């Protein structure tokens, strides 16, 4: 299994530890994540978030659609770190919709992505996110709103365990800068049915990646999103 100690710098690891401690403390009073996942914070939450960084980097050189899901290549050159993203992707405008406890968006912000917005309708969760950002010195925008009330467009739309894919397509359509915006969505075992259901109303080019943290999970990416003309 990959070790996050080899993927990011010591400074970023310190931020992750502060994040974990705050999550453990706050989760006793407010349910932010499932209790049993806290025992596997590094894999279940941090690595699960980190694995989308190579996908974002690869988006500029997309590979053809593949079935079954293709593996995520998170291998690094000697001395390379995921928290030192090249400027062409570090500056992208990204939004994490329904971010909850901040995964994956807050992890991405800790890794040097400088234009990330965390969208969360639950006020208590936003207070938690603000406290984590303050204590870790993380640059991130936190918006206490529903997606339907947001204004603005983004290059990348992120979401983990927020909604079904059809709903995420609707959200993405409201937030995309252009048809070339990228959607990156963590999905579980029902991902194939979700893709089929979404295709009834939406047209898109998709790529499926096998999650490195859960054998039954995938990362679904969407681009060139459009509403089907025959949809009523």
């Amino acid at each position: 299994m990959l070790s996050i100690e080899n993927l990011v710098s010591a400074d970023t690891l310190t931020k992750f530890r502060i994040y974990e401690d705050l999550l453990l403390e706050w989760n006793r009073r407010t349910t932010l994540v499932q209790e049993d996942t806290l025992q596997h914070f590094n894999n279940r939450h941090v690595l699960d978030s980190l694995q989308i960084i190579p996908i974002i980097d690869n988006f500029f050189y997309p590979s053809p659609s593949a079935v079954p899901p293709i593996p995520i290549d998170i291998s690094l050159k000697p001395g390379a770190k995921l928290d030192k993203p090249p400027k062409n992707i570090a500056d992208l405008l990204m939004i994490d919709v329904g971010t909850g406890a901040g995964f994956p968006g807050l992890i991405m912000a800790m890794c040097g992505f400088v234009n990330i917005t965390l969208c969360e309708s639950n006020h208590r969760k936003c207070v938690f996110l603000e406290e984590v950002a303050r204590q870790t010195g993380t640059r991130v925008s936190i918006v206490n709103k529903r997606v339907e009330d947001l204004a603005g467009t983004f290059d990348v739309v992120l979401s983990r365990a927020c909604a079904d894919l059809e709903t995420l397509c609707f959200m993405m359509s409201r937030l995309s800068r252009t048809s070339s915006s990228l959607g990156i969505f963590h999905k579980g075992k029902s991902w194939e049915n979700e893709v089929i259901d979404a295709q009834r109303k939406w047209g898109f080019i998709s790529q499926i990646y096998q999650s490195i943290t859960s054998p039954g999970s995938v990362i679904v990416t969407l681009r060139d999103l459009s509403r089907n003309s025959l949809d009523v």
Side-chain angles (χ1 to χ4, degrees):
M1 182 179 293
L2 288 168
S3 170
I4 63 170
E5 286 79 6
N6 298 326
L7 299 176
V8 299
S9 66
D11 287 344
T12 301
L13 282 174
T14 298
K15 293 181 180 182
F16 292 167
R17 296 289 74 80
I18 295 171
Y19 195 171
E20 181 179 15
D21 289 344
L22 286 169
L23 185 58
L24 284 167
E25 176 187 345
W26 279 64
N27 214 59
R28 297 187 188 103
R29 308 190 300 266
T30 302
T31 302
L32 299 168
V33 297
Q34 293 180 3
E35 187 71 25
D36 59 354
T37 67
L38 294 174
Q39 302 174 34
H40 310 284
F41 177 80
N42 285 352
N43 185 71
R44 183 64 183 86
H45 297 299
V46 178
L47 187 56
D48 198 42
S49 300
L50 290 175
Q51 67 178 323
I52 70 174
I53 295 177
I55 294 176
I56 294 172
D57 197 17
N58 185 61
F59 175 63
F60 298 96
Y61 307 94
S63 57
S65 296
V67 177
I70 65 173
I72 294 173
D73 182 8
I74 204 169
S75 59
L76 298 173
K77 295 179 181 178
K81 298 291 182 181
L82 290 179
D83 57 348
K84 295 181 180 179
K87 190 176 187 301
N88 67 312
I89 63 171
D91 288 344
L92 291 171
L93 288 171
M94 303 189 195
I95 184 167
D96 182 0
V97 298
T99 188
F103 306 110
L106 192 49
I107 291 291
M108 302 281 289
M110 290 179 181
C111 286
F113 291 84
V114 297
N115 290 316
I116 289 189
T117 296
L118 306 179
C119 176
E120 175 54 51
S121 62
N122 184 294
H123 175 71
R124 184 69 174 169
K125 292 179 180 179
C126 287
V127 174
F128 166 75
L129 296 171
E130 289 167 356
E131 183 63 12
V132 176
R134 183 186 70 81
Q135 291 202 29
T136 59
T138 301
R139 174 180 171 180
V140 68
S141 175
I142 301 166
V143 180
N144 185 198
K145 291 183 177 180
R146 293 175 58 83
V147 173
E148 294 83 353
D149 299 324
L150 278 179
T153 52
F154 299 86
D155 300 306
V156 181
V157 180
L158 310 171
S159 183
R160 189 181 84 146
C162 169
D164 62 74
L165 193 61
E166 180 183 326
T167 301
L168 289 169
C169 285
F170 173 73
M171 294 178 179
M172 183 176 169
S173 70
R174 296 175 60 91
L175 300 170
S176 294
R177 176 177 296 280
T178 66
S179 61
S180 62
S181 290
L182 176 65
I184 304 180
F185 308 123
H186 290 69
K187 285 293 165 189
K189 295 179 180 179
S190 64
W191 69 267
E192 290 179 282
N193 289 333
E194 288 196 39
V195 170
I196 293 171
D197 289 343
Q199 287 174 329
R200 294 191 176 100
K201 291 188 176 182
W202 300 93
F204 48 77
I205 296 175
S206 63
Q207 176 66 72
I208 312 299
Y209 295 85
Q210 176 62 61
S211 171
I212 63 175
T213 62
S214 175
S217 299
V218 301
I219 311 296
V220 177
T221 68
L222 304 182
R223 60 188 177 93
D224 295 345
L225 181 69
S226 63
R227 190 89 181 197
N228 287 341
S229 59
L230 296 179
D231 174 52
V232 292

